[in-house]
Structures are given as C-alpha cells and as structure tokens.
Amino acid sequence: MEIRLSVMLLALLLLCGATLSASHPRAVSDRERQEVAALAELEDQAAHARGNLDIARRLTTTYLRLGHPGLAIAAVRAAPIELARDPLLTHRLSQAYEASGRVEDALGTAQLAVARCAALGACSYPTVATLEMHVEALTMLQRWGVQEPRRDTRTALAYRLAQRTARIASLGVATITAD
C-alpha cells in the first residue's frame, strides 16, 4: 500500500514538474531588445539635452508607439516650458491623454495645439489639417460619451468621419486656389 502511494505521489510530482517546465516565460525577441535599447538611448539623450525639441518629440512619439501614454504625458510635463508650447509636442500630449482614456483632456489639448499653430503661423497645411482632424475626431468621441477610446469601436468611426471631413475641406481649398 505504501509503495503504491509513493509511486502515485512520484507520478503526480513528475506530472506537475512537466507542466511547469512546459510553461517557460516568453523569450524577448531581437526586435523588442532593439526597441528597448533605442528607447533607453533616447531617454538618455532627453535627460542630457532637455532643451532639444526634436528629441522630446521623438521620445513622446516612441512612448506612444510602444503603448506607454503615461510616460509620454510625463515627458511633456517635464519638458522646459518653451518646448511644451510646441504645437506638435502639444499634439503628442493630446494623443497621450486620448490613449489614457482622458477624452476631455485630449480634446482641450488638441484645441490648444491648433491654437498654437495659428498663433505661431509656423505649421504647414498638412500639419494643421492633421491637428484639426484630431480635434474633430475627439469632439465626436466626447459627444458620443466614449470612455475608453482604445477599446471602443466608435473611435475608428470617429477618425474615418474626421478624415472624410478633412478630405472634403482639402478639396474645397484646392478648388478655391485653382479659381
């Protein structure tokens, strides 16, 4: 009887061991390693060159692309005030708020980015169109009561409609300038 019990316990332990050894953590791919290394380098550059607008833009863009909107928000907030006034950096802040589910903050910040473009007069037409399209999409999201833009299917619809509006507006500008 004791031998049977011992054999059954041993078999159970071997089965548990086999199950645990089969569930190894996922290995990090070379691409992920490269992204982490590039991000670390970019963060170092940002720390050493706090006044560099290009680095601040690239850092926030990278954070957003990698799915870290909170870090993008922190990076913009930590930037010197003269950089934080940049329309494109303000736009990245708006995107980070949106990715964080803060639609009202995203909309207000997107409107601020458009206003800064107008005040500086330094934004190209495609940049202004992109910023205005973002405001339009966020306005729809707010009107529809979207709380989690990343998970709500209405987000894609809002962007399609905003993009359509931007195309129609650009056609109108082309018609006006052609006359």
Side-chain angles (χ1 to χ4, degrees):
M1 179 76 171
E2 284 184 33
I3 293 175
R4 278 190 194 169
L5 184 61
S6 295
V7 170
M8 287 177 45
L9 284 174
L10 180 61
L12 183 62
L13 285 172
L14 288 174
L15 181 64
C16 288
T19 303
L20 291 174
S21 65
S23 61
H24 291 290
R26 183 179 66 87
V28 176
S29 71
D30 288 337
R31 182 170 185 230
E32 289 171 321
R33 278 193 195 108
Q34 290 171 349
E35 285 181 344
V36 168
L39 178 59
E41 175 66 27
L42 198 52
E43 287 173 330
D44 286 344
Q45 290 174 6
H48 294 314
R50 288 196 57 220
N52 188 315
L53 180 59
D54 180 56
I55 292 172
R57 284 178 179 172
R58 286 189 298 143
L59 181 61
T60 55
T61 301
T62 302
Y63 281 144
L64 288 170
R65 185 174 44 79
L66 295 176
H68 302 293
L71 293 175
I73 292 168
V76 174
R77 287 185 177 166
I81 193 71
E82 61 273 4
L83 293 188
R85 289 184 181 139
D86 174 64
L88 292 178
L89 204 54
T90 304
H91 176 60
R92 296 289 178 261
L93 180 60
S94 175
Q95 291 173 316
Y97 283 144
E98 179 184 0
S100 298
R102 297 169 57 181
V103 176
E104 287 186 28
D105 291 333
L107 177 56
T109 306
Q111 291 168 335
L112 180 60
V114 171
R116 286 180 174 167
C117 259
L120 294 175
C123 296
S124 66
Y125 178 75
T127 299
V128 172
T130 299
L131 297 179
E132 288 178 348
M133 185 181 76
H134 192 219
V135 168
E136 182 72 24
L138 289 169
T139 301
M140 284 184 243
L141 293 178
Q142 183 185 37
R143 190 177 322 128
W144 296 341
V146 172
Q147 297 294 317
E148 293 186 41
R150 288 175 135 178
R151 294 189 179 129
D152 198 311
T153 57
R154 294 175 292 179
T155 301
L157 176 61
Y159 277 94
R160 278 195 305 273
L161 292 173
Q163 191 174 25
R164 184 182 307 164
T165 302
R167 274 194 212 129
I168 292 169
S170 69
L171 289 174
V173 168
T175 304
I176 292 169
T177 56
D179 289 340

